[in-house]
Amino acid sequence: MENYLKLVRQAKCGDVDAFARLYAGIYEDMYRFALYTLRNASDAEDAVSDAVTDAFALIRKLRNEDAFKSWIFRILSNKCKDKLREYAGRNETGIEDTEEIAFDSGPEMTECIQVRKLFFELADEERLIISMHQFAGYTSREISEILHMNENTVRSKESRALRKMKQQLQ
């Protein structure tokens, strides 16, 4: 933890290598979050790239060094929300034209594909909340702060979305 805080302090002072090390430690979580939120690999890469660029430019303004991860995910979350608004404005879904190949897959793979399909059928906000919790590891309180919602609202929306998916699986 001390090394992490040291890296954040160094990055705040303009150390590019320190920022790169911090970013390298969370890149996969950021990309996974963006991909499952946006449902498009290219847009996810763009959102992560834009978020990292903005974070690097603004890191000197980071007040709480312990909050680096939630701070950069807040930036990413805003980038994803902007992209979702773009989709809505163009009546797009963001889903890539890729076929899921399920041959020789067995029942486990078939269920996995069904869960993924159901996840992508959720409303944008539901996907965002589940992604933040399941893929980025945020608590309900952290999600509520990032999305500017009541903590109980976050928990109930996530619970309803998961229940909806479970009911459709049965």
Side-chain angles (χ1 to χ4, degrees):
M1 181 67 163
E2 186 59 37
N3 191 35
Y4 172 78
L5 292 176
K6 183 179 176 183
L7 285 174
V8 175
R9 281 188 220 106
Q10 290 171 340
K12 284 181 69 171
C13 291
D15 187 331
V16 176
D17 291 330
F19 187 86
R21 289 177 59 197
L22 289 167
Y23 168 64
I26 60 172
Y27 169 76
E28 287 183 24
D29 289 341
M30 291 179 72
Y31 177 73
R32 190 176 308 119
F33 170 80
L35 180 63
Y36 277 89
T37 301
L38 300 173
R39 305 185 289 185
N40 181 295
S42 178
D43 287 346
E45 290 168 4
D46 290 346
V48 171
S49 177
D50 290 347
V52 170
T53 302
D54 286 0
F56 184 72
L58 298 170
I59 192 156
R60 292 176 198 265
K61 295 181 180 182
L62 176 64
R63 285 183 241 145
N64 182 358
E65 293 161 357
D66 288 333
F68 174 78
K69 184 177 177 183
S70 62
W71 174 75
I72 199 167
F73 266 92
R74 183 174 296 123
I75 294 170
L76 178 59
S77 172
N78 288 331
K79 297 294 179 187
C80 289
K81 284 195 273 187
D82 290 345
K83 185 56 79 173
L84 290 171
R85 278 195 280 285
E86 277 182 42
Y87 293 162
R90 296 185 314 223
N91 284 334
E92 293 181 18
T93 62
I95 299 174
E96 294 180 318
D97 293 327
T98 56
E99 291 185 20
E100 305 229 37
I101 301 171
F103 60 86
D104 294 334
S105 60
E108 297 87 16
M109 183 57 85
T110 301
E111 185 172 322
C112 182
I113 291 170
Q114 288 175 322
V115 168
R116 185 172 182 208
K117 183 179 180 214
L118 291 172
F119 175 78
F120 287 134
E121 290 174 359
L122 293 172
D124 294 340
E125 186 177 64
E126 294 170 329
R127 278 195 329 278
L128 186 60
I129 290 169
I130 290 173
S131 294
M132 291 179 84
H133 186 205
Q134 300 298 322
F135 306 123
Y138 282 103
T139 65
S140 298
R141 183 174 349 121
E142 292 168 328
I143 295 169
S144 71
E145 291 170 6
I146 292 168
L147 298 180
H148 307 289
M149 287 181 180
N150 181 291
E151 187 176 345
N152 291 329
T153 303
V154 168
R155 281 196 293 272
S156 66
K157 286 182 181 239
E158 181 179 20
S159 177
R160 274 190 298 247
L162 292 172
R163 196 168 37 249
K164 186 187 323 179
M165 287 176 63
K166 184 178 179 180
Q167 288 171 346
Q168 291 178 344
L169 258 179
Q170 296 171 346

